[in-house]
Amino acid sequence: MSKILAFLCLFFSLQIVAQSAYPKDYFQSPLGIPLQLSGSFGELRSNHFHTGIDFRTQQKEGLPIFACAEGYVSRIKVSTTGNGKTIYVDHPNGYTTVYAHLQKFDSAIAAYVKQAQYQAQLFEIELFPKPNELPVSRGQQIAFSGNSGSSSGPHLHFEIRETVSELSVNPLFFGFDKLIADTKRPAISSILVHPVSENACVNGTREAISVNLSLQENGNYIADPIKAKGKIGFSIAATDAFDYAYGKNGPYTIETCVNGNRNFMFTADKFSFDEVRYINAYVDYSRLKKTGVRYQRLFMNPPYPLRNLQTDIQAGIVDVQTNLAATYRIEVADYAGNKTAVDIPITYDPKEVITAAKPKSELPILKYDIENLYEEGRFAVSVKPLTFYANFPILFKATENELEFAADDIPAHQNVTISYEADHLTPEIFEKSFIGSVDGNRLKFIPTKKQNNKLIAYTRNLGQFRIGLDTIAPSIKAFNIKEGKWISKQQTIIFIVSDNGSGISKYEGYINGKWVLFEYEPKDKSLTYFIDDSQLVDGKNDLRVIVTDELGNSAIFETFFHRKLN
């Protein structure tokens, strides 16, 4: 921990990265429309910080996407999750631009990808072209905007990365701020103060309490005075917005001072993909799960190595001792320099606690910095050191085929391993069994290995688990095709596919016995073949579709259609 704390304290000897170090006119806009943001860099997302900016695309798909500078396509990824269809372009100046959630690629890139997909007989694919294979010039169209992957609406997710380190850098550093209007101040919706040390109290209680704020004429706030003793910390719910947009985005910086001395700062400047999951230590994860509100902690207990946080030696904690009279100031700013500040008076209070904290749990304590193993009945749970961010009382309870391990409001930084001794199951049942997480009345499949009569699953989501069984094949329904139908003018063949058990794992289509490319879109459960006459024959064509779930159950749909070729 001392090394981590020393790393974090570098803030007081180093200045924020000079924005002038980045080229301002090298990259052009990736869109041909006025730029409006729907998502900011460093914004708080589920289990990660947002590593790019999201451009609005007029609530539609199909807008041209342009290369921001000369270079070459260095990576292409096609996925049904995450960033969906994505293009990476390496540039001579040492940066890589990323264009994600695309609808489709432009012709040359599309042909390159399609050839690879047919060779591998896979829709989801990842490719790494050589520098001379797909060169691009500044302003060249490379794709069309879309809604692919884990996107909740049409937009372009855009990133700029350092090519060698792969650190994602705030695109506003590169002059994009001049193309995006922002005159709105960040908004502060709530502030909490937390007793941190065992003997600490705030306003007579050992529980976290809300800070009352009064809005001033200048747009800043003054809080009601806080009476405290011991070590305390603060957390804040704050958002930012851009002009012509009403989304609740994330601020660029949050800085705190005690009597004018800085003790904590968050800066959305650049992110390492190895660190973005530390967001679950940065936010009040338990409160988020219970209330849906993301409070950003302005202290660390214990510290953790996130490069975007810089603190004093107390890791942002304020130690309220005898005769202390202090003003704790929070400043929330966006990249354009719009700021909102809060001043919170703090005085020492020697009085005894009026309202005690909740009784201590009688459960054993999981120590986060050592290895832990829990076994009961057929279940075992293995926890590596630093899987969690702090010590906590651990609930571990198992029955014949059900397990409860911790609560779902405990964040895990890496997977825990759950194993189940299944030597009592027949080989047939064993092959169709899995470990699933209980979500209300639903059992959610967790990818499960089978090894030496054991079921083994890895998960970062805690709570309740149960052994599941899936022997039912997926469902395949024709959407726009009927047996024997002439489809000479039709451009697509679409099926609706679903699976209520372990989920769809594999999908294949064959026309006249030859593999053809079907694209799967989980959001609407569609499986689509974009008709290519070069793969068909004039007249009757036989079609076969096979869909397989995660446990190997397969469904087959066979039909035929007619088409007149030109």
Side-chain angles (χ1 to χ4, degrees):
M1 281 305 110
S2 59
K3 290 183 179 180
I4 295 174
L5 194 57
F7 168 80
L8 295 167
C9 291
L10 285 175
F11 167 68
F12 292 102
S13 60
L14 298 175
Q15 295 182 347
I16 300 174
V17 174
Q19 298 173 11
S20 60
Y22 297 96
K24 302 295 183 181
D25 301 315
Y26 189 87
F27 295 115
Q28 73 159 61
S29 171
L31 288 163
I33 59 174
L35 296 184
Q36 295 181 9
L37 293 191
S38 61
S40 61
F41 186 83
E43 194 169 280
L44 309 180
R45 297 289 178 90
S46 178
N47 296 318
H48 70 285
F49 294 96
H50 192 219
T51 55
I53 54 179
D54 290 341
F55 291 119
R56 296 183 185 276
T57 56
Q58 302 176 337
Q59 299 181 336
K60 60 185 179 183
E61 300 183 42
L63 297 184
I65 302 297
F66 306 103
C68 292
E70 68 168 325
Y72 72 94
V73 177
S74 59
R75 182 182 175 192
I76 306 167
K77 190 170 184 179
V78 177
S79 175
T80 59
T81 60
N83 283 336
K85 295 179 181 178
T86 309
I87 291 176
Y88 302 72
V89 177
D90 283 7
H91 304 283
N93 68 340
Y95 293 100
T96 298
T97 50
V98 183
Y99 315 77
H101 301 309
L102 304 172
Q103 180 194 61
K104 58 183 178 180
F105 307 119
D106 202 54
S107 56
I109 300 174
Y112 180 91
V113 173
K114 188 175 181 179
Q115 181 182 13
Q117 288 172 319
Y118 269 85
Q119 185 174 355
Q121 295 192 356
L122 291 170
F123 168 58
E124 296 191 76
I125 199 166
E126 187 169 15
L127 306 171
F128 297 89
K130 296 177 181 178
N132 62 342
E133 290 187 287
L134 292 172
V136 297
S137 57
R138 177 185 170 94
Q140 177 182 329
Q141 183 173 332
I142 57 175
F144 296 87
S145 68
N147 187 34
S148 61
S150 301
S151 170
S152 58
H155 71 282
L156 173 66
H157 173 85
F158 176 73
E159 297 181 22
I160 298 180
R161 301 182 183 180
E162 295 175 355
T163 302
V164 175
S165 70
E166 295 188 343
L167 289 173
S168 187
V169 183
N170 193 330
L172 299 185
F173 288 168
F174 296 84
F176 284 95
D177 59 312
K178 304 302 181 185
L179 305 177
I180 302 162
D182 184 4
T183 60
K184 296 181 179 180
R185 296 165 61 134
I188 296 173
S189 57
S190 181
I191 294 175
L192 301 179
V193 55
H194 307 256
V196 176
S197 58
E198 187 173 348
N199 64 340
C201 65
V202 179
N203 291 357
T205 179
R206 289 200 175 112
E207 295 294 326
I209 60 172
S210 179
V211 177
N212 293 322
L213 304 176
S214 297
L215 180 63
Q216 306 300 295
E217 289 185 2
N218 62 3
N220 293 328
Y221 294 88
I222 294 179
D224 288 354
I226 288 174
K227 295 182 178 181
K229 67 176 179 179
K231 294 182 178 181
I232 64 173
F234 292 82
S235 62
I236 187 170
T239 57
D240 187 42
F242 299 88
D243 293 4
Y244 314 112
Y246 300 95
K248 294 182 178 181
N249 306 123
Y252 172 58
T253 63
I254 300 178
E255 180 181 355
T256 69
C257 300
V258 179
N259 289 339
N261 299 310
R262 284 185 289 192
N263 71 330
F264 182 95
M265 190 168 189
F266 167 83
T267 308
D269 52 2
K270 60 173 66 176
F271 286 94
S272 163
F273 290 95
D274 293 335
E275 297 176 3
V276 292
R277 196 174 175 88
Y278 279 114
I279 188 174
N280 290 335
Y282 176 53
V283 302
D284 189 334
Y285 189 86
S286 178
R287 200 172 299 271
L288 169 63
K289 296 291 285 188
K290 293 172 182 175
T291 68
V293 179
R294 286 185 170 91
Y295 281 90
Q296 298 171 247
R297 294 181 187 269
L298 307 179
F299 65 98
M300 291 183 287
N301 184 36
Y304 49 91
L306 176 62
R307 72 180 62 238
N308 306 86
L309 300 183
Q310 297 86 30
T311 80
D312 62 4
I313 196 67
Q314 299 295 328
I317 294 170
V318 180
D319 193 358
V320 184
Q321 299 290 344
T322 305
N323 298 324
L324 174 71
T327 298
Y328 182 84
R329 184 175 177 86
I330 306 173
E331 281 192 358
V332 183
D334 61 24
Y335 188 84
N338 305 300
K339 292 183 180 181
T340 303
V342 181
D343 287 321
I344 306 172
I346 304 173
T347 57
Y348 176 75
D349 184 7
K351 295 178 183 177
E352 294 298 320
V353 173
I354 300 171
T355 304
K358 296 177 182 178
K360 288 186 177 180
S361 172
E362 296 182 358
L363 296 172
I365 300 298
L366 182 148
K367 295 185 177 180
Y368 80 106
D369 56 352
I370 64 172
E371 187 169 359
N372 293 270
L373 177 64
Y374 301 88
E375 296 178 301
E376 185 174 332
R378 296 185 177 277
F379 282 99
V381 180
S382 175
V383 181
K384 294 180 179 179
L386 303 182
T387 293
F388 299 101
Y389 304 114
N391 300 339
F392 63 94
I394 180 68
L395 173 64
F396 177 77
K397 184 168 60 176
T399 61
E400 175 64 19
N401 65 348
E402 294 185 349
L403 167 69
E404 189 170 2
F405 183 76
D408 64 359
D409 64 349
I410 301 293
H413 192 73
Q414 55 185 322
N415 286 326
V416 301
T417 303
I418 301 175
S419 62
Y420 178 78
E421 186 63 60
D423 54 0
H424 62 299
L425 301 179
T426 66
E428 294 78 15
I429 296 296
F430 178 73
E431 286 304 315
K432 302 298 181 181
S433 295
F434 64 94
I435 297 174
S437 62
V438 178
D439 183 10
N441 295 324
R442 182 184 171 204
L443 187 65
K444 296 172 66 174
F445 174 79
I446 303 174
T448 303
K449 291 198 313 181
K450 293 162 173 82
Q451 181 178 325
N452 299 327
N453 290 323
K454 286 186 178 181
L455 302 176
I456 303 173
Y458 307 95
T459 181
R460 289 187 284 203
N461 298 314
L462 310 180
Q464 296 180 311
F465 304 89
R466 188 168 69 237
I467 303 304
L469 180 67
D470 184 6
T471 60
I472 301 175
S475 167
I476 306 175
K477 296 180 181 178
F479 179 75
N480 67 345
I481 188 171
K482 292 183 179 179
E483 187 165 275
K485 179 182 177 181
W486 281 88
I487 59 169
S488 299
K489 296 183 179 181
Q490 200 164 303
Q491 296 182 331
T492 61
I493 296 175
I494 302 174
F495 292 90
I496 303 301
V497 298
S498 61
D499 186 81
N500 293 325
S502 56
I504 292 172
S505 172
K506 187 178 180 182
Y507 35 91
E508 303 168 276
Y510 297 87
I511 293 180
N512 303 323
K514 294 182 179 180
W515 187 90
V516 294
L517 178 65
F518 271 84
E519 298 195 10
Y520 178 45
E521 176 48 74
K523 285 193 284 288
D524 59 12
K525 301 179 180 180
S526 63
L527 194 60
T528 303
Y529 169 63
F530 292 91
I531 296 175
D532 181 352
D533 281 350
S534 67
Q535 298 165 339
L536 309 181
V537 297
D538 195 61
K540 180 185 177 184
N541 290 266
D542 295 314
L543 173 62
R544 190 170 191 247
V545 174
I546 306 169
V547 179
T548 306
D549 67 20
E550 295 281 358
L551 272 299
N553 304 299
S554 293
I556 300 175
F557 190 107
E558 293 182 310
T559 188
F560 66 92
F561 61 90
H562 293 86
R563 187 172 177 91
K564 180 68 175 177
L565 305 183
N566 295 326

